[in-house]
Amino acid sequence: MQTRTLGTDLTVSAVGLGCMGFSHAYGAPTDEAEATRRIRRAYDLGYTFFDTAEVYGTAGDPHINESLVGKALADVKSHVVIATKFGLRFDRESGTVPLPLVPDSRPEAIRRSVEGSLRRLGVDHIDLYFQHRIDPCMEPEEVAGAMADLIREGKITHWGISEAKEDYLRRAHAICPVTAVQNRYSMMARRCERLFPVLEELGVGLVAFSPMANGFLTGRYGKGERFDAATDYRAAMPQFTDEAVDQNAALLQLLRDMAAEKHATPAQISLAWMLCKKPWIVPIPGTRKEERMAENAGAAGVALTPGEVRALDEALDHMKMSAVFGGTPMRA
Ligand SMILES: NC(=O)c1ccc[n+]([C@@H]2O[C@H](COP(=O)([O-])OP(=O)(O)OC[C@H]3O[C@@H](n4cnc5c(N)ncnc54)[C@H](OP(=O)(O)O)[C@@H]3O)[C@@H](O)[C@H]2O)c1
């Protein structure tokens, strides 16, 4: 697969693999041995960028996703970039399911997190360490200072911010250069385009999470789709209701038309659209299936001209769409 550079010097495959779904948020977790086999298979297919987090896990093992990723990539770890995240913890007292996540980027919490992630990933340094959510109790300078310390100690080599906002990013970047932000970005969720000028100015990359609107943009989920409310967050996502399928008919048709023109799939068009916008955007679609890993990686080879990207944007600007899932329950 082609590669891209995040920040000044972090080389990753143009499409990364979001590993969350193997153990979290998209139904029953995949069997451990099978999950590690499939994550390793992604490397054979050309992926060199893998995304996980401290809080991706199961009820039985809330951190298992990092262990799976570490095990799967153990023999190729010097050839891949693994991103993981700190700064959220489960609110176990809430009594709600799924457990709400609480921002926590206190220095002592960061220390605990980094040691746990290094151990579970089986690495001596973390390639890209994202603050998962901004902690309203911590100034960006304090978090960036903690990152600078971890870089000096050799425990991480690059850092980033997830769901970053401009002021926070600027202040953090001034203390310790940020390599990438990781924000929700898809044809249905374009808020982060407002950040593009500042990303360009600072030389910060964008790792796009939920780039296919949680799978909706693949066009493979229609009316009557039912998800297990206990394990699958899609059960509560507004884009997967029967009404939403009707409301999004024009969007899905737009994807199908462009897919037919480019001999591609709607999933590939939804990724190629962002890949062709800026050379510093790297989507991390999540899938547990090998054929879909190959399909999504194929998006890096789909060329849309600037005129075609503009035409898609123009159509999206004026199109009626349903609401789209906006985030995990979080107590601020
Ligand atoms: N920073 C953050 O706060 C944050 C938040 C959410 C996610 N993330 C990261 O971003 C990654 C991707 O986001 P996401 O998983 O939420 O959303 P996504 O990549 O937009 O969609 C994933 C869903 O689409 C399905 N899918 C993937 N490729 C497909 C294809 N070619 N055809 C049909 N269905 C397909 C997957 O199902 P199957 O597995 O069954 O294929 C899965 O249910 C996550 O894995 C995680 O690493 C980060």
Side-chain angles (χ1 to χ4, degrees), residues 43 86 107 150 158 169 187 215 235 272 295 321 324:
Y43 174 77
F86 69 94
L150 293 178
H158 302 79
L169 171 62
M187 284 178 153
E295 177 185 353
M321 289 181 202
V324 65

Side-chain angles (χ1 to χ4, degrees), residues 17-21 26 51-53 56 65 85 88 132-133 162-163 182-184 186 208-216 218-221 232 234 237 240 265 267-268 284-289 291-293 295-296 328:
L17 182 68
C19 297
M20 177 181 78
Y26 287 105
D51 185 73
T52 179
Y56 296 162
N65 200 259
K85 313 185 191 83
L88 280 180
H132 209 150
R133 285 293 181 277
S162 179
E163 292 290 50
Q182 181 176 137
N183 283 24
R184 180 184 303 280
S186 74
F209 80 73
S210 302
M212 301 186 303
N214 309 96
F216 185 82
T218 65
R220 296 224 171 89
Y221 305 87
D232 198 324
R234 286 173 296 185
M237 291 185 188
F240 289 103
T265 66
Q268 289 174 333
I284 47 166
T287 181
R288 297 157 290 185
K289 302 186 172 71
E291 69 279 11
R292 292 179 177 179
M293 287 175 190
E295 177 185 353
N296 300 344
T328 316

